[in-house]
């Protein structure tokens, strides 16, 4: 089978060097582009950064419609194992559905993650269409896209303009399982979410904060952005808080 071409700018990336690593995970229908600016900031602060590209992303929405939850979680598992092997400690920073993948990873690997930073994490939705998710793929293969929910003009996370219904059904079922796993998550946790998010409800972050097993945790609310807070008006605050969280919990002597 011919390998699909990755869209220019949607490639995975590696930046910086050092004993402390930060694994960056983008969201559903998005691409590593959404995490690139944050990655560059963390690399400049002395971290070794890896931005992953989830299977089915950065190519075509039809490609994503052929993937399942085990493809995405398996890719994150592999990236984590490979990246962790070359570093003294590893933090995971994730956006949107990437947050669900990061929480699942942390729940299954207690003590192996130095800290989690979740940005507008998606683990639940209040969209009425969620009740039709199991049957929707039999009726239609895609819906209008939900990406690029960004208040700041001129930004593009290189997402799909369609929401693949088959993949979305797998994603929502996976999120339900992740919600049940939250008490197993004990890693230090920072969650940031905009009150004006149109894609992931703020209730998602509140639910995470209320149900994780972590005792070292903080929930920060933002007001000037929409969903993709790494590319919106609050991005400088997001970058700074992420860096400070990692610095305070790192044993690698970051400055």
């Amino acid at each position: 089978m011919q390998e699909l071409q990755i869209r220019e700018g949607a490639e995975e990336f590696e930046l910086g060097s050092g004993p402390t690593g930060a694994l960056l995970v983008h969201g559903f229908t998005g691409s590593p582009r959404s995490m690139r600016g944050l990655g560059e900031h963390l690399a400049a602060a002395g971290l070794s950064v890896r931005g992953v590209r989830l299977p089915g992303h950065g190519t075509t929405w039809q490609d994503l419609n052929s993937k399942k939850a085990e493809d995405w979680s398996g890719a994150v598992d592999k990236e984590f194992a490979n990246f962790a092997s070359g570093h003294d400690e590893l933090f995971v920073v994730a956006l949107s559905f990437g947050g669900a993948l990061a929480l699942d990873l942390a729940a299954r690997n207690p003590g192996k993650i130095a800290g989690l930073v979740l940005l507008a994490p998606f683990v639940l939705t209040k969209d009425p269409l969620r009740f039709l998710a199991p049957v929707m793929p039999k009726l239609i293969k895609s819906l209008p896209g939900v990406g690029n929910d960004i208040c700041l003009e001129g930004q593009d996370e290189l997402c799909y303009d369609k929401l693949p219904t088959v993949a979305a059904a797998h994603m929502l079922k996976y999120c339900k399982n992740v919600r049940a796993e939250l008490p197993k998550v004990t890693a230090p946790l920072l969650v940031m979410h905009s009150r004006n998010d149109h894609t992931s409800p703020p209730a998602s972050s509140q639910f995470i904060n209320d149900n994780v097993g972590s005792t070292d945790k903080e929930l920060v609310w933002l007001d000037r952005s929409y969903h993709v807070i790494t590319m919106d008006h609050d991005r400088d605050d997001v970058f700074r808080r992420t860096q400070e969280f990692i610095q305070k919990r790192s044993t690698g002597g970051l400055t």
Side-chain angles (χ1 to χ4, degrees), residues 111-158:
K112 294 183 180 181
I113 296 175
L116 290 173
V117 179
L118 306 182
L119 310 172
F122 182 93
V123 298
L124 58 82
T125 179
K126 295 185 176 181
D127 190 330
L129 287 177
R130 69 187 185 276
F131 298 113
L132 298 177
V135 298
M136 189 71 74
K138 300 176 182 178
L139 305 175
I140 188 171
K141 293 304 179 184
S142 71
L143 293 169
V146 296
N148 274 332
D149 184 22
I150 305 171
C151 181
L152 181 63
E153 293 184 1
Q155 300 298 307
D156 182 6
E157 63 169 328
L158 290 181

Side-chain angles (χ1 to χ4, degrees), residues 13-17 20-25 32-52 83 93 119 230-231 235 238-239 242-243 246:
F13 57 85
E14 287 193 21
L15 303 166
S17 61
T20 299
L23 187 69
L24 275 53
V25 187
R33 164 72 75 82
S34 62
M35 305 298 282
R36 180 87 192 198
L38 176 56
E40 292 172 350
H41 179 90
L42 295 178
L47 279 83
S48 178
V49 178
R50 170 76 171 164
V52 308
F83 202 47
V93 184
L119 310 172
T230 54
M231 302 182 75
R235 60 186 176 185
V238 169
F239 292 2
T242 301
Q243 178 185 340
I246 293 175

Side-chain angles (χ1 to χ4, degrees), residues 6-143:
I6 301 172
R7 296 176 64 186
E8 183 178 356
E11 305 89 354
E12 55 195 23
F13 57 85
E14 287 193 21
L15 303 166
S17 61
T20 299
L23 187 69
L24 275 53
V25 187
H26 65 83
F28 189 71
T29 77
S31 78
R33 164 72 75 82
S34 62
M35 305 298 282
R36 180 87 192 198
L38 176 56
E40 292 172 350
H41 179 90
L42 295 178
L47 279 83
S48 178
V49 178
R50 170 76 171 164
V52 308
R53 183 179 65 86
L54 298 174
H57 292 78
T59 51
T60 67
W61 69 265
Q62 293 92 339
D63 181 27
L64 179 54
N65 232 2
S66 69
K67 309 304 179 188
K68 299 180 179 180
E70 51 263 36
D71 296 314
W72 307 315
S73 62
V76 171
D77 284 353
K78 182 178 179 180
E79 294 281 1
F80 177 78
N82 291 340
F83 202 47
S85 65
H87 298 85
D88 294 342
E89 58 186 353
L90 190 60
F91 291 80
V92 180
V93 184
L95 173 69
S96 193
F97 175 63
L101 293 166
L103 287 165
D104 180 33
L105 178 72
R108 293 183 287 104
N109 293 275
K112 294 183 180 181
I113 296 175
L116 290 173
V117 179
L118 306 182
L119 310 172
F122 182 93
V123 298
L124 58 82
T125 179
K126 295 185 176 181
D127 190 330
L129 287 177
R130 69 187 185 276
F131 298 113
L132 298 177
V135 298
M136 189 71 74
K138 300 176 182 178
L139 305 175
I140 188 171
K141 293 304 179 184
S142 71
L143 293 169

Side-chain angles (χ1 to χ4, degrees), residues 176-208:
K176 181 179 180 181
N177 294 333
V178 170
R179 294 197 296 272
E181 289 183 320
L182 291 179
K184 299 179 183 178
V185 177
T186 57
L189 176 67
L190 170 62
V191 182
M192 289 181 270
H193 207 129
S194 173
R195 292 186 176 93
N196 303 308
D197 193 322
H198 304 108
T199 303
S200 176
S204 182
S205 281
Q206 190 66 60
F207 185 88
I208 292 169

